[in-house]
Amino acid sequence: MLPQPSPLPEIAADAPGLRDEIAGGYAPVVIRGLVRDWPLVVAAGISPQAASDYLLQFDRGASAEVFVGAPAMQGRFFYGPDMHGFNFERQQGKFGETLRHLAERATRDNAPHIYAGAVETSRALPGFAAANPLPLIEGLGAMRRIWIGNRSVISAHFDSSDNIACVAAGRRRFTLFPPAQASNLYVGPLDNTMAGQPTSMVDFVEPDFDRFPRFRDALAAAQTAELEPGDAIYIPALWWHHVEALSTFNMLVNFWWADSPDQDARFDAMVYAILAISHLSPERRQGWSALFDHYVFQRHGEPAAHLAPEHRGALGAPTPRLRRYVKAFVARGLQRP
């Protein structure tokens, strides 16, 4: 019998300390009913057309990238055969026209699969944020984006930012894995991706355990939940999440926020470290692992505690001045042949 994911923990939208749980925690949690009073959610409860009409009042004709795939793909946006290209087409279109198209075909089960994701509402739907507020994330500098489509399967991936995802229309199933499960998820290329993030190669509907045997261990560590309109989920940075849009008409609004100005550089630093270190002998990799443990992961405490602050250089507190200095230091090194 296959290991079954455990239920994700849940918390009520009016629970005391919810803000601390989100802003300071590092474990996923489902927040039932967090945005049930949003006008968009109320409209979606009437019909897909009502939800579309509500959003279109904010539409200003912005463009959006749209993924379009044939019904045979069964909603799984993925690589093409033999990893040559993808099983869908990227198209540019007006966000409003895509929304109208989805609403008109919401009752068709055999329609092409359509997915428009990460569209900034400030650009495409000005005024939407003020009409559908989320006080929980005020002050975090979160960017609001909207995702629309019909049935879809988005392979397990991680984001560098903390994330609150709010289901506005349709149902979604989230399956999450801790960062340590990366070795059991059989991740695809780091630099040839569908939407910017590396993804698991495993088909969760029909997993090939002969090819991906450690995926059983990933399932044993997984957590899952189905979200209804008005529900939300907090996904910490680097937690892998597999997302299924289960209805013929789906909308999701999410909020990403950065924990520091260095956030986007971390993945780049890892990729360069792979180039510089991964091909070395095991003994030499172990040597560099010891240095990373000491300086980066600080497994033995503050590595510069014995130095006066004015002598810590790159080991000092991450001020704007130090960030400029370190970037220049690294840039000079990258110019070497």
Side-chain angles (χ1 to χ4, degrees):
M1 178 178 291
L2 288 180
Q4 295 299 309
S6 60
L8 275 159
E10 298 188 6
I11 191 170
D14 58 355
L18 178 58
R19 167 71 178 224
D20 293 337
E21 180 111 17
I22 299 306
Y26 196 62
V29 63
V30 172
I31 312 165
R32 295 292 182 188
L34 180 66
V35 297
R36 65 162 62 99
D37 296 328
W38 273 4
L40 174 58
V41 175
V42 174
I46 298 172
S47 69
Q49 190 62 55
S52 174
D53 291 343
Y54 176 78
L55 276 186
L56 287 171
Q57 69 179 306
F58 303 104
D59 179 48
R60 296 297 181 271
S63 62
E65 184 178 63
V66 183
F67 294 178
V68 181
M73 66 183 282
Q74 298 182 328
R76 187 185 183 218
F77 291 88
F78 200 62
Y79 294 98
D82 300 323
M83 302 284 291
H84 293 304
F86 304 101
N87 66 350
F88 59 89
E89 295 182 0
R90 301 176 191 269
Q91 301 179 5
Q92 284 292 327
K94 298 292 187 181
F95 178 81
E97 290 303 314
T98 301
L99 183 57
R100 290 187 183 93
H101 182 84
L102 284 167
E104 291 169 359
R105 292 159 177 77
T107 58
R108 289 177 51 185
D109 284 325
N110 63 340
H113 294 284
I114 298 175
Y115 179 79
V119 178
E120 297 179 23
T121 62
S122 60
R123 177 179 63 85
L125 303 168
F128 170 79
N132 297 264
L134 188 60
L136 178 64
I137 51 84
E138 288 180 358
L140 294 177
M143 183 174 292
R144 181 186 300 238
R145 299 174 184 266
I146 192 166
W147 311 66
I148 63 174
N150 44 23
R151 297 187 194 275
S152 64
V153 178
I154 306 304
S155 298
H157 63 283
F158 69 84
D159 298 309
S160 298
S161 303
D162 286 339
N163 180 18
I164 289 182
C166 305
V167 176
R171 294 181 300 113
R172 290 189 187 242
R173 180 185 298 121
F174 289 80
T175 304
L176 271 62
F177 304 84
Q181 289 301 311
S183 60
N184 295 326
L185 288 171
Y186 297 92
V187 181
L190 301 182
D191 53 343
N192 177 27
T193 67
M194 285 159 279
Q197 303 86 6
T199 61
S200 171
M201 299 296 294
V202 181
D203 183 347
F204 282 31
V205 176
E206 296 181 352
D208 183 347
F209 290 110
D210 291 331
R211 184 181 177 192
F212 307 121
R214 294 195 308 274
F215 183 62
R216 294 180 185 273
D217 296 328
L219 285 176
Q223 301 177 66
T224 190
E226 281 194 21
L227 274 61
E228 302 287 339
D231 294 339
I233 182 172
Y234 165 58
I235 305 174
L238 305 187
W239 276 71
W240 296 83
H241 45 289
H242 180 272
V243 186
E244 301 164 80
L246 303 172
S247 306
T248 55
F249 182 81
N250 299 276
M251 291 183 180
L252 180 139
V253 179
N254 89 304
F255 302 81
W256 280 318
W257 66 93
D259 58 10
S260 90
D262 309 306
Q263 176 178 281
D264 292 338
R266 295 168 192 159
F267 184 81
D268 298 333
M270 183 190 74
V271 172
Y272 192 76
I274 293 170
L275 172 66
I277 298 171
S278 66
H279 65 280
L280 299 177
S281 67
E283 296 81 8
R284 294 178 186 272
R285 289 201 307 269
Q286 186 61 39
W288 279 104
S289 176
L291 289 179
F292 271 65
D293 281 348
H294 178 61
Y295 286 109
V296 179
F297 303 113
Q298 300 185 5
R299 299 194 189 279
H300 310 292
E302 167 57 59
H306 59 288
L307 296 173
E310 64 269 24
H311 298 308
R312 292 182 182 179
L315 298 175
T319 62
R321 180 179 180 181
L322 182 68
R323 288 188 173 96
R324 291 192 297 270
Y325 169 77
V326 169
K327 288 178 180 179
F329 179 89
V330 172
R332 287 195 300 271
L334 291 176
Q335 291 173 2
R336 300 189 192 104

